[in-house]
Amino acid sequence: MEQMILLVIALSLALGVGYMGSKRKIGFGLAFVISLFNVVIGLIAVLCSKKIENVEPKKEEE
């Protein structure tokens, strides 16, 4: 039972780091996979990754 609780906590933390990575160039998938092995290393990788710049398309003037 304790192992199940630890597994749920580990997956939750990995999902959280993955969500943080989705807003950066590393992406959700890679951040999630790295965090499955070690949450701290995944968090460091996400924080070292550059943020995605929101580039809005230019509107054509008529």
PDB file of all heavy atoms in Angstrom, residues 22-37:
ATOM      1  N   SER A  22       5.926  22.094 -20.650  1.00  0.00           N
ATOM      2  CA  SER A  22       5.106  22.352 -21.845  1.00  0.00           C
ATOM      3  C   SER A  22       5.129  23.820 -22.243  1.00  0.00           C
ATOM      4  O   SER A  22       4.847  24.152 -23.386  1.00  0.00           O
ATOM      5  CB  SER A  22       3.668  21.896 -21.603  1.00  0.00           C
ATOM      6  OG  SER A  22       3.036  22.721 -20.641  1.00  0.00           O
ATOM      7  N   LYS A  23       5.492  24.684 -21.322  1.00  0.00           N
ATOM      8  CA  LYS A  23       5.575  26.116 -21.622  1.00  0.00           C
ATOM      9  C   LYS A  23       6.994  26.531 -21.984  1.00  0.00           C
ATOM     10  O   LYS A  23       7.296  27.701 -22.093  1.00  0.00           O
ATOM     11  CB  LYS A  23       5.092  26.914 -20.413  1.00  0.00           C
ATOM     12  CG  LYS A  23       3.637  26.655 -20.101  1.00  0.00           C
ATOM     13  CD  LYS A  23       3.169  27.453 -18.936  1.00  0.00           C
ATOM     14  CE  LYS A  23       1.700  27.157 -18.660  1.00  0.00           C
ATOM     15  NZ  LYS A  23       1.201  27.916 -17.532  1.00  0.00           N
ATOM     16  N   ARG A  24       7.863  25.548 -22.141  1.00  0.00           N
ATOM     17  CA  ARG A  24       9.256  25.812 -22.478  1.00  0.00           C
ATOM     18  C   ARG A  24       9.668  24.963 -23.674  1.00  0.00           C
ATOM     19  O   ARG A  24       8.927  24.093 -24.121  1.00  0.00           O
ATOM     20  CB  ARG A  24      10.152  25.513 -21.271  1.00  0.00           C
ATOM     21  CG  ARG A  24       9.844  26.461 -20.117  1.00  0.00           C
ATOM     22  CD  ARG A  24      10.753  26.172 -18.957  1.00  0.00           C
ATOM     23  NE  ARG A  24      10.529  27.111 -17.880  1.00  0.00           N
ATOM     24  CZ  ARG A  24      11.305  28.171 -17.641  1.00  0.00           C
ATOM     25  NH1 ARG A  24      12.337  28.420 -18.401  1.00  0.00           N
ATOM     26  NH2 ARG A  24      11.036  28.984 -16.653  1.00  0.00           N
ATOM     27  N   LYS A  25      10.853  25.228 -24.214  1.00  0.00           N
ATOM     28  CA  LYS A  25      11.297  24.528 -25.418  1.00  0.00           C
ATOM     29  C   LYS A  25      11.516  23.039 -25.202  1.00  0.00           C
ATOM     30  O   LYS A  25      11.492  22.274 -26.150  1.00  0.00           O
ATOM     31  CB  LYS A  25      12.575  25.178 -25.949  1.00  0.00           C
ATOM     32  CG  LYS A  25      12.324  26.558 -26.481  1.00  0.00           C
ATOM     33  CD  LYS A  25      13.394  26.996 -27.413  1.00  0.00           C
ATOM     34  CE  LYS A  25      12.963  28.353 -27.973  1.00  0.00           C
ATOM     35  NZ  LYS A  25      13.636  28.671 -29.186  1.00  0.00           N
ATOM     36  N   ILE A  26      11.740  22.615 -23.969  1.00  0.00           N
ATOM     37  CA  ILE A  26      11.965  21.196 -23.688  1.00  0.00           C
ATOM     38  C   ILE A  26      10.708  20.371 -23.981  1.00  0.00           C
ATOM     39  O   ILE A  26      10.794  19.224 -24.377  1.00  0.00           O
ATOM     40  CB  ILE A  26      12.443  20.999 -22.230  1.00  0.00           C
ATOM     41  CG1 ILE A  26      12.994  19.594 -22.020  1.00  0.00           C
ATOM     42  CG2 ILE A  26      11.352  21.308 -21.246  1.00  0.00           C
ATOM     43  CD1 ILE A  26      13.677  19.405 -20.693  1.00  0.00           C
ATOM     44  N   GLY A  27       9.546  20.954 -23.805  1.00  0.00           N
ATOM     45  CA  GLY A  27       8.296  20.263 -24.086  1.00  0.00           C
ATOM     46  C   GLY A  27       7.831  19.375 -22.944  1.00  0.00           C
ATOM     47  O   GLY A  27       8.596  19.028 -22.049  1.00  0.00           O
ATOM     48  N   PHE A  28       6.560  19.006 -22.995  1.00  0.00           N
ATOM     49  CA  PHE A  28       5.965  18.187 -21.944  1.00  0.00           C
ATOM     50  C   PHE A  28       6.578  16.798 -21.889  1.00  0.00           C
ATOM     51  O   PHE A  28       6.951  16.308 -20.827  1.00  0.00           O
ATOM     52  CB  PHE A  28       4.450  18.069 -22.153  1.00  0.00           C
ATOM     53  CG  PHE A  28       3.787  17.143 -21.166  1.00  0.00           C
ATOM     54  CD1 PHE A  28       3.402  17.610 -19.932  1.00  0.00           C
ATOM     55  CD2 PHE A  28       3.571  15.804 -21.467  1.00  0.00           C
ATOM     56  CE1 PHE A  28       2.803  16.768 -19.004  1.00  0.00           C
ATOM     57  CE2 PHE A  28       2.973  14.957 -20.556  1.00  0.00           C
ATOM     58  CZ  PHE A  28       2.587  15.442 -19.324  1.00  0.00           C
ATOM     59  N   GLY A  29       6.669  16.148 -23.041  1.00  0.00           N
ATOM     60  CA  GLY A  29       7.093  14.748 -23.083  1.00  0.00           C
ATOM     61  C   GLY A  29       8.475  14.519 -22.519  1.00  0.00           C
ATOM     62  O   GLY A  29       8.678  13.631 -21.686  1.00  0.00           O
ATOM     63  N   LEU A  30       9.441  15.301 -22.969  1.00  0.00           N
ATOM     64  CA  LEU A  30      10.810  15.111 -22.504  1.00  0.00           C
ATOM     65  C   LEU A  30      10.935  15.457 -21.023  1.00  0.00           C
ATOM     66  O   LEU A  30      11.598  14.738 -20.265  1.00  0.00           O
ATOM     67  CB  LEU A  30      11.774  15.957 -23.336  1.00  0.00           C
ATOM     68  CG  LEU A  30      13.257  15.758 -23.058  1.00  0.00           C
ATOM     69  CD1 LEU A  30      13.647  14.295 -23.231  1.00  0.00           C
ATOM     70  CD2 LEU A  30      14.087  16.641 -23.956  1.00  0.00           C
ATOM     71  N   ALA A  31      10.287  16.533 -20.605  1.00  0.00           N
ATOM     72  CA  ALA A  31      10.332  16.905 -19.185  1.00  0.00           C
ATOM     73  C   ALA A  31       9.700  15.814 -18.324  1.00  0.00           C
ATOM     74  O   ALA A  31      10.208  15.487 -17.252  1.00  0.00           O
ATOM     75  CB  ALA A  31       9.619  18.239 -18.971  1.00  0.00           C
ATOM     76  N   PHE A  32       8.607  15.231 -18.789  1.00  0.00           N
ATOM     77  CA  PHE A  32       7.928  14.172 -18.046  1.00  0.00           C
ATOM     78  C   PHE A  32       8.803  12.931 -17.929  1.00  0.00           C
ATOM     79  O   PHE A  32       8.940  12.350 -16.849  1.00  0.00           O
ATOM     80  CB  PHE A  32       6.590  13.838 -18.711  1.00  0.00           C
ATOM     81  CG  PHE A  32       5.835  12.733 -18.034  1.00  0.00           C
ATOM     82  CD1 PHE A  32       5.232  12.949 -16.806  1.00  0.00           C
ATOM     83  CD2 PHE A  32       5.719  11.495 -18.618  1.00  0.00           C
ATOM     84  CE1 PHE A  32       4.532  11.929 -16.164  1.00  0.00           C
ATOM     85  CE2 PHE A  32       5.018  10.472 -18.001  1.00  0.00           C
ATOM     86  CZ  PHE A  32       4.422  10.703 -16.765  1.00  0.00           C
ATOM     87  N   VAL A  33       9.425  12.525 -19.043  1.00  0.00           N
ATOM     88  CA  VAL A  33      10.264  11.324 -19.040  1.00  0.00           C
ATOM     89  C   VAL A  33      11.468  11.509 -18.127  1.00  0.00           C
ATOM     90  O   VAL A  33      11.807  10.617 -17.342  1.00  0.00           O
ATOM     91  CB  VAL A  33      10.704  10.959 -20.479  1.00  0.00           C
ATOM     92  CG1 VAL A  33      11.770   9.876 -20.479  1.00  0.00           C
ATOM     93  CG2 VAL A  33       9.504  10.512 -21.298  1.00  0.00           C
ATOM     94  N   ILE A  34      12.123  12.660 -18.211  1.00  0.00           N
ATOM     95  CA  ILE A  34      13.268  12.920 -17.336  1.00  0.00           C
ATOM     96  C   ILE A  34      12.815  12.896 -15.879  1.00  0.00           C
ATOM     97  O   ILE A  34      13.502  12.353 -15.008  1.00  0.00           O
ATOM     98  CB  ILE A  34      13.938  14.259 -17.687  1.00  0.00           C
ATOM     99  CG1 ILE A  34      14.579  14.186 -19.071  1.00  0.00           C
ATOM    100  CG2 ILE A  34      14.988  14.640 -16.647  1.00  0.00           C
ATOM    101  CD1 ILE A  34      15.079  15.517 -19.590  1.00  0.00           C
ATOM    102  N   SER A  35      11.652  13.464 -15.604  1.00  0.00           N
ATOM    103  CA  SER A  35      11.149  13.520 -14.232  1.00  0.00           C
ATOM    104  C   SER A  35      10.749  12.150 -13.691  1.00  0.00           C
ATOM    105  O   SER A  35      10.735  11.960 -12.483  1.00  0.00           O
ATOM    106  CB  SER A  35       9.953  14.466 -14.153  1.00  0.00           C
ATOM    107  OG  SER A  35      10.363  15.775 -14.457  1.00  0.00           O
ATOM    108  N   LEU A  36      10.413  11.224 -14.571  1.00  0.00           N
ATOM    109  CA  LEU A  36      10.105   9.874 -14.111  1.00  0.00           C
ATOM    110  C   LEU A  36      11.336   9.218 -13.498  1.00  0.00           C
ATOM    111  O   LEU A  36      11.229   8.456 -12.544  1.00  0.00           O
ATOM    112  CB  LEU A  36       9.573   9.013 -15.258  1.00  0.00           C
ATOM    113  CG  LEU A  36       8.128   9.269 -15.671  1.00  0.00           C
ATOM    114  CD1 LEU A  36       7.789   8.395 -16.871  1.00  0.00           C
ATOM    115  CD2 LEU A  36       7.165   9.011 -14.540  1.00  0.00           C
ATOM    116  N   PHE A  37      12.508   9.528 -14.044  1.00  0.00           N
ATOM    117  CA  PHE A  37      13.746   8.966 -13.507  1.00  0.00           C
ATOM    118  C   PHE A  37      14.182   9.696 -12.246  1.00  0.00           C
ATOM    119  O   PHE A  37      14.578   9.067 -11.273  1.00  0.00           O
ATOM    120  CB  PHE A  37      14.855   8.994 -14.553  1.00  0.00           C
ATOM    121  CG  PHE A  37      14.590   8.070 -15.702  1.00  0.00           C
ATOM    122  CD1 PHE A  37      14.239   8.572 -16.936  1.00  0.00           C
ATOM    123  CD2 PHE A  37      14.676   6.695 -15.538  1.00  0.00           C
ATOM    124  CE1 PHE A  37      13.983   7.717 -17.996  1.00  0.00           C
ATOM    125  CE2 PHE A  37      14.421   5.837 -16.600  1.00  0.00           C
ATOM    126  CZ  PHE A  37      14.068   6.350 -17.829  1.00  0.00           C
TER     127      PHE A  37
END
